[in-house]
Amino acid sequence: MFAEVALNIPLDKTFIYKVPETVSSKPEVGKRVIVPFGKSDFLKTGIIVSLKETSSEIEETYIKEIFDIPDDFVLFTEKNIKLAEEIARRYASAIGEVLFFFLPSGFIIEETSYVYLKRNEHVKGKTEQQIIKYLKSKKGRVKLITLVRAIKGKSTYSTVKNLIRKGIIGKEEDITYTLLPTQKVAVLKEIKPVKGKKELEAIEILKKIKEIPIKDLNKRGISYNTIKRLTNKGIIEIEEREHLIDIKKQVLTDNRKIILTADQKRALNAILNGKNETFLLYGVTGSGKMEVYLHAALETVKKGKSVLILVPELLLTPELRARVESYFGENIVVFHSKLSKKELVSQWLKAVKGKSKVFIGTRMSLMLPIKDLGLIIVDEEQDTSYKEQQKPLYHAREMAVKRGSIEKCPVILVSATPSVESYYRASIEKYRALELKKRVSNIPLPYIKVVNLKEEKRVGIFSESLISAIKNTVKKGEQVLLFINRRGFFSSGFCPKCGFVAECDDCAVPLVYHKNMNRLICHICGKKYKPLFRCPECGTKLEFKGYGTERVEEEVKVLFPDFRIVRLDQDTVKNPTKGAKLIADIKNGNYDIIVGTQIASKGHNFPKLTLVAVLMADTGYLLPDFRSAERTFQTIVHTTGRAGRFKPGAAIIQAFDPENPAVKYAAEYKFDLFYKEEIEARKIFNYPPFSYPVLLEFQIEKTSKFGKIEEKFNILKEKIKPYFNVPPLNPAPIPKVSGRYRFITFMRAATEENLLKGIEILKREMPILFRGVRYRIDVDPVYLL
Ligand code: ADP
Ligand code: ZN
């Protein structure tokens, strides 16, 4: 028998191996295999993607043999493998790359080269000296790959090779792997007479349950010594058993019993009685969407099937988990990037072994090997965190719909402000629209007032209306949220005389001043700079533009010295313990005014919050991105929706252009008018959902290399012209990242079919045309800057 194996390499091909008699377990599609690879026959982990009786094209004598198939279970279902193939096809990546992107790294067994210093000898070359210095500083052996990464430089590999030949460096090969999670248990073998009291006690325990984890025996007062004596006498034996770790949770319980409203029931029935289609469940925040989808999930589980719930990164809070547990009990699997290597392996195995029916996690949960999937839910489907920014640059929402069609199960996309793409598809009945028209509670939606920043009197960024509303709210003992899109203090200092702007050396974007750290920080690469108050060119005092959370916080403190003010942004919640305490303090009413970014506008419910202000609603509007109107609209709706969850509230939107449709329609709750206008505009300018975009990006070290790249790009253009509209290559709006110049072109295909054909050509031609060049093929891009 022959196995087609996908490996963790960026080549879009699979490899054929012969399956020998000697493997530990039966070959099956989706199982992991250990195979020799490359000239040196290093062992690598692969995944079987298909099995064949004959090797067809390749001559059998050239085919290598599988070294082992270690597990008796599969790591991917056959449907997973189909989905991975779809992702590879659409997002211009390789099947192996996709599978190993999702598979927790704890499953990977690999043979690795290690190097160490053999003789401490004087060498001449600069790279040679660097290598030896590095190895000296490490004392023992280091992974070859770690050394090469540490030294960088193009010739590191060949220099290392030379040093090995000269006998200055030694090299060893080893297999690295993580053991699957197990624990030791005591098993009763044969009852023999014993005298010791503790020994008797242990036998009594084991008589009842036959085997017990050693840890639990210890807890019951049986010491290691007692256990050792019993093993020596042959009464018990110690064995290893699989042990899947449970993810610790913060104690939060939610015991509400919900009886659905008529509106909710209608939506639920549509889902339960529908075919395996995609639903768009939408309605204002508080309209009861989550209760609907949790009910649908519960019905699915009752039928013996499993449910996958995808949520955006910021939404996976303890509150959310408590709510899901109120439906399903504690046996749910959570899956996200903050888990440890071992926890990820455990959670993956729970899916493999059907240990749970309910799976909830971020975009990386898309590929969990759940066997009898009966429902997929994508909550806050418009959220940009569903798009992966590393290879494979998949869009989890789009691929969740794809998984639904592969698994033949329904998919529910959920949102208060659906993406324009999903809304459009619902309007042409590609998806089924389910709208919840009003809030469940009789608390009305917040009254929203729009303030024109150009006309109204203000102190700094605070309009008179806002100042008096803040006073009134805090006087009543209620809370205020001031939303601003950027953390930090000012954005950029500029020289009023010569026009100098403080920019990041590597990224060429304006720096943001963080007063707390007294540093200028690049929000693209994170690089920190000493602050700058005078122009380095002409010595004039720099002027500062823009607002960040820190500047707002400081100005609020001056305006309201008696109020208790707190900042809630990435900088203040970075530390999880401090962040959780901060949020608890806000909930307990220990603060009057919260100055926050998106972090404050998602996921958390603040009971005392009754006034929300969006300080500068339309600044993002000017960005060169076709989705900026959509984002402005979504931000306004989500942020203002935080107000008055538990008693009536109000919101103030400050904008430079109150007539902007995103601002106007959000404030008037005329969502359908916003979508209608936005869809019209997308149609006129041929943006998605009316086209299928690919953002092609090149990163080069020197601008002088651009000519060569452009030349080759024009060759490529000729080949893809039948499928894409291809504008010329231009500098990106963020022209430089980490020292590399970025050039982009925003290509569009008219149909999905053209898109897939075009990508096939990109995948085939680009590695040849652009060898050694850094490029990125971003399909369904969400960031165009
Ligand atoms: P959404 O997801 O649309 O924002 P939720 O499902 O979170 O809305 O509902 C908002 C609040 O109303 C939650 O506290 C929820 O438990 C409660 N709720 C929803 N439906 C009902 C209902 N039928 N009866 C009582 N409370 C409900
Ligand atoms: Zn930078």
Side-chain angles (χ1 to χ4, degrees):
M1 186 181 282
F2 298 88
E4 182 189 2
V5 172
L7 293 167
N8 186 16
I9 50 172
L11 290 179
D12 192 27
K13 64 189 245 192
T14 49
F15 300 83
I16 304 292
Y17 284 90
K18 199 188 286 175
V19 185
E21 295 290 307
T22 52
V23 288
S24 316
S25 111
K26 191 175 103 197
E28 266 179 86
V29 170
K31 274 189 176 176
R32 102 181 135 157
V33 292
I34 315 297
V35 294
F37 182 72
K39 272 196 219 108
S40 51
D41 273 346
F42 265 28
L43 295 180
K44 272 179 99 60
T45 305
I47 300 291
I48 302 180
V49 295
S50 76
L51 290 164
K52 316 167 194 267
E53 282 312 318
T54 56
S55 68
S56 58
E57 62 273 34
I58 317 166
E59 220 181 297
E60 269 190 38
T61 43
Y62 292 118
I63 297 182
K64 293 180 185 175
E65 281 193 351
I66 285 178
F67 178 74
D68 200 11
I69 303 177
D71 313 315
D72 54 9
F73 45 83
V74 301
L75 290 181
F76 291 97
T77 65
E78 291 197 32
K79 285 172 181 163
N80 278 155
I81 289 178
K82 258 199 204 133
L83 179 64
E85 280 163 355
E86 290 288 344
I87 293 176
R89 200 153 80 101
R90 177 159 187 132
Y91 297 97
S93 37
I95 173 86
E97 241 179 344
V98 176
L99 291 172
F100 283 92
F101 173 84
F102 286 104
L103 187 70
S105 63
F107 285 111
I108 296 173
I109 299 174
E110 218 156 29
E111 192 165 13
T112 320
S113 300
Y114 291 86
V115 287
Y116 57 95
L117 198 61
K118 239 172 156 174
R119 279 191 285 127
N120 192 358
E121 204 167 279
H122 185 73
V123 287
K124 279 200 205 106
K126 195 171 149 243
T127 314
E128 289 187 332
Q129 284 169 356
Q130 269 179 309
I131 291 170
I132 289 182
K133 196 170 151 214
Y134 182 82
L135 288 177
K136 244 198 227 163
S137 74
K138 294 287 168 201
K139 301 203 170 77
R141 62 178 202 172
V142 296
K143 277 187 190 165
L144 174 58
I145 188 85
T146 316
L147 170 77
V148 173
R149 285 203 186 118
I151 307 294
K152 287 175 185 142
K154 270 188 193 148
S155 58
T156 314
Y157 262 120
S158 52
T159 315
V160 170
K161 248 191 194 160
N162 270 332
L163 289 169
I164 293 172
R165 213 178 32 232
K166 287 185 199 157
I168 297 174
I169 286 181
K171 183 165 158 246
E172 289 171 353
E173 265 85 52
D174 231 336
I175 291 193
T176 51
Y177 62 100
T178 334
L179 285 172
L180 296 184
T182 57
Q183 67 178 357
K184 289 196 165 65
V185 296
V187 185
L188 187 62
K189 286 287 151 180
E190 195 189 341
I191 303 179
K192 292 179 193 168
V194 292
K195 287 207 187 96
K197 198 173 140 235
K198 284 286 165 189
E199 287 176 47
L200 276 169
E201 232 180 280
I203 292 175
E204 280 311 308
I205 294 171
L206 276 158
K207 258 192 200 162
K208 281 189 211 124
I209 42 178
K210 299 286 178 281
E211 67 174 66
I212 179 170
I214 302 285
K215 259 203 223 134
D216 294 354
L217 268 183
N218 293 153
K219 273 191 208 140
R220 296 196 185 188
I222 311 292
S223 70
Y224 281 111
N225 275 334
T226 313
I227 295 167
K228 210 168 154 197
R229 277 199 296 276
L230 289 169
T231 357
N232 289 344
K233 289 176 188 164
I235 297 172
I236 63 172
E237 240 169 54
I238 308 295
E239 286 173 21
E240 295 259 350
R241 291 279 186 275
E242 176 183 272
H243 176 57
L244 305 182
I245 309 164
D246 284 314
I247 308 303
K248 280 208 192 68
K249 60 159 198 163
Q250 283 153 286
V251 259
L252 266 185
T253 46
D254 185 333
N255 296 321
R256 279 173 298 178
K257 276 272 168 288
I258 303 281
I259 298 163
L260 296 185
T261 63
D263 248 12
Q264 286 174 313
K265 268 191 202 136
R266 205 169 308 128
L268 177 65
N269 285 335
I271 296 164
L272 298 179
N273 301 329
K275 302 221 178 59
N276 299 323
E277 51 201 318
T278 301
F279 297 91
L280 177 64
L281 176 62
Y282 68 106
V284 290
T285 25
S287 58
K289 301 182 293 294
M290 188 171 179
E291 302 294 347
V292 170
Y293 79 62
L294 288 176
H295 267 80
L298 193 61
E299 293 306 316
T300 309
V301 170
K302 279 187 191 156
K303 275 188 262 168
K305 297 204 162 183
S306 300
V307 178
L308 172 61
I309 305 174
L310 300 180
V311 296
E313 233 130 358
L314 284 175
L315 208 69
L316 201 49
T317 55
E319 283 94 334
L320 182 90
R321 195 168 160 192
R323 250 176 108 179
V324 179
E325 282 176 359
S326 76
Y327 277 73
F328 303 101
E330 288 183 18
N331 185 23
I332 60 176
V333 168
V334 290
F335 200 69
H336 54 84
S337 59
K338 301 258 162 63
L339 299 183
S340 72
K341 201 165 161 178
K342 270 196 177 157
E343 286 171 334
L344 288 169
V345 164
S346 277
Q347 301 300 69
W348 193 271
L349 286 174
K350 283 182 193 166
V352 166
K353 304 194 167 183
K355 298 254 158 138
S356 177
K357 293 265 174 229
V358 182
F359 298 83
I360 176 161
T362 54
R363 61 172 183 265
M364 63 195 266
S365 318
L366 173 69
M367 193 65 82
L368 276 171
I370 305 164
K371 268 173 207 141
D372 41 10
L373 199 54
L375 176 65
I376 302 172
I377 293 153
V378 184
D379 199 358
E380 301 283 357
E381 63 93 37
Q382 84 292 346
D383 200 284
T384 46
S385 78
Y386 282 123
K387 181 69 169 35
E388 175 59 56
Q389 293 302 324
Q390 281 168 15
K391 249 192 144 191
L393 298 118
Y394 69 100
H395 199 305
R397 175 188 69 220
E398 301 303 310
M399 290 299 108
V401 172
K402 182 60 88 183
R403 182 161 185 183
S405 76
I406 292 172
E407 305 270 354
K408 298 199 170 51
C409 78
V411 178
I412 315 176
L413 307 179
V414 185
S415 180
T417 53
S419 62
V420 172
E421 286 89 336
S422 296
Y423 191 96
Y424 172 73
R425 287 179 198 141
S427 75
I428 58 165
E429 290 174 16
K430 204 171 161 197
Y431 297 163
R432 210 155 131 203
L434 302 172
E435 188 181 3
L436 297 179
K437 288 218 159 66
K438 48 181 195 295
R439 276 193 166 176
V440 176
S441 67
N442 37 30
I443 300 166
L445 285 162
Y447 165 74
I448 301 181
K449 180 184 162 100
V450 181
V451 169
N452 188 338
L453 281 174
K454 277 202 202 126
E455 284 170 6
E456 204 175 303
K457 256 206 201 146
R458 52 184 162 109
V459 183
I461 196 66
F462 304 94
S463 62
E464 284 187 329
S465 317
L466 177 58
I467 293 175
S468 72
I470 294 176
K471 275 188 198 146
N472 290 335
T473 309
V474 178
K475 241 188 246 160
K476 280 189 284 180
E478 296 169 358
Q479 285 174 326
V480 180
L481 167 67
L482 302 176
F483 177 87
I484 186 90
N485 221 336
R486 184 191 289 113
R487 69 204 156 91
F489 199 78
F490 303 107
S491 74
S492 76
F494 74 102
C495 174
K497 201 163 157 209
C498 73
F500 164 86
V501 179
E503 287 181 344
C504 174
D505 296 340
D506 292 338
C507 309
V509 293
L511 296 166
V512 178
Y513 179 54
H514 285 238
K515 198 165 180 183
N516 277 16
M517 291 183 253
N518 194 29
R519 284 286 177 277
L520 292 168
I521 299 180
C522 169
H523 280 199
I524 301 295
C525 71
K527 198 162 161 182
K528 296 189 178 78
Y529 297 82
K530 286 229 174 77
L532 204 60
F533 298 105
R534 287 196 170 274
C535 175
E537 314 273 327
C538 69
T540 313
K541 206 164 164 238
L542 293 181
E543 283 180 15
F544 291 93
K545 274 198 292 199
Y547 274 86
T549 44
E550 283 185 29
R551 182 169 177 193
V552 172
E553 184 190 14
E554 197 167 294
E555 293 192 0
V556 180
K557 278 183 179 159
V558 175
L559 275 172
F560 305 105
D562 301 332
F563 295 169
R564 297 162 302 169
I565 296 152
V566 64
R567 182 158 54 91
L568 188 59
D569 60 14
Q570 237 172 320
D571 297 330
T572 56
V573 300
K574 219 180 330 185
N575 176 319
T577 345
K578 278 189 193 152
K581 172 150 192 322
L582 211 146
I583 284 164
D585 281 346
I586 295 173
K587 280 188 187 162
N588 291 333
N590 298 353
Y591 292 106
D592 305 312
I593 301 178
I594 307 146
V595 177
T597 55
Q598 276 86 337
I599 290 182
S601 68
K602 274 184 191 164
H604 307 287
N605 273 323
F606 301 129
K608 291 210 164 95
L609 181 63
T610 58
L611 176 67
V612 168
V614 182
L615 295 179
M616 293 197 283
D618 52 353
T619 44
Y621 212 83
L622 303 170
L623 295 173
D625 181 337
F626 71 89
R627 285 196 187 91
S628 56
E630 181 182 344
R631 300 238 168 94
T632 302
F633 174 78
Q634 285 163 350
T635 304
I636 294 174
V637 173
H638 277 262
T639 314
T640 56
R642 292 282 116 198
R645 282 296 184 92
F646 299 87
K647 53 174 125 167
I652 291 178
I653 305 174
Q654 303 193 128
F656 291 99
D657 175 17
E659 282 308 302
N660 176 330
V663 174
K664 196 171 90 188
Y665 293 135
E668 294 171 357
Y669 293 106
K670 289 184 178 152
F671 292 8
D672 39 349
L673 288 184
F674 170 74
Y675 284 105
K676 205 170 154 230
E677 256 186 46
E678 183 61 18
I679 287 172
E680 273 307 305
R682 298 269 184 103
K683 193 171 189 172
I684 292 167
F685 295 105
N686 197 26
Y687 283 125
F690 301 97
S691 63
Y692 297 81
V694 175
L695 187 76
L696 194 59
E697 171 183 335
F698 294 91
Q699 294 189 4
I700 57 182
E701 274 145 33
K702 291 192 203 101
T703 40
S704 59
K705 284 190 182 160
F706 180 67
K708 259 247 158 66
I709 300 280
E710 197 177 30
E711 222 171 82
K712 288 184 178 167
F713 174 73
N714 288 331
I715 300 173
L716 180 72
K717 191 170 167 173
E718 284 309 306
K719 300 193 182 190
I720 53 177
K721 241 176 31 194
Y723 308 107
F724 289 115
N725 169 315
V726 191
L729 218 45
N730 270 313
I734 295 170
K736 216 177 154 195
V737 161
S738 308
R740 289 169 195 275
Y741 295 89
R742 300 172 65 224
F743 291 87
I744 58 170
T745 174
F746 183 72
M747 316 194 291
R748 276 172 278 182
T751 61
E752 197 167 359
E753 212 184 346
N754 277 359
L755 174 79
L756 293 175
K757 277 189 192 146
I759 290 169
E760 215 180 295
I761 296 176
L762 293 177
K763 275 172 84 170
R764 193 176 61 225
E765 301 293 334
M766 288 193 69
I768 307 164
L769 271 170
F770 299 100
R771 259 187 96 161
V773 180
R774 261 201 207 204
Y775 62 84
R776 209 170 117 104
I777 307 170
D778 191 356
V779 185
D780 303 334
V782 299
Y783 296 113
L784 307 180
L785 303 180

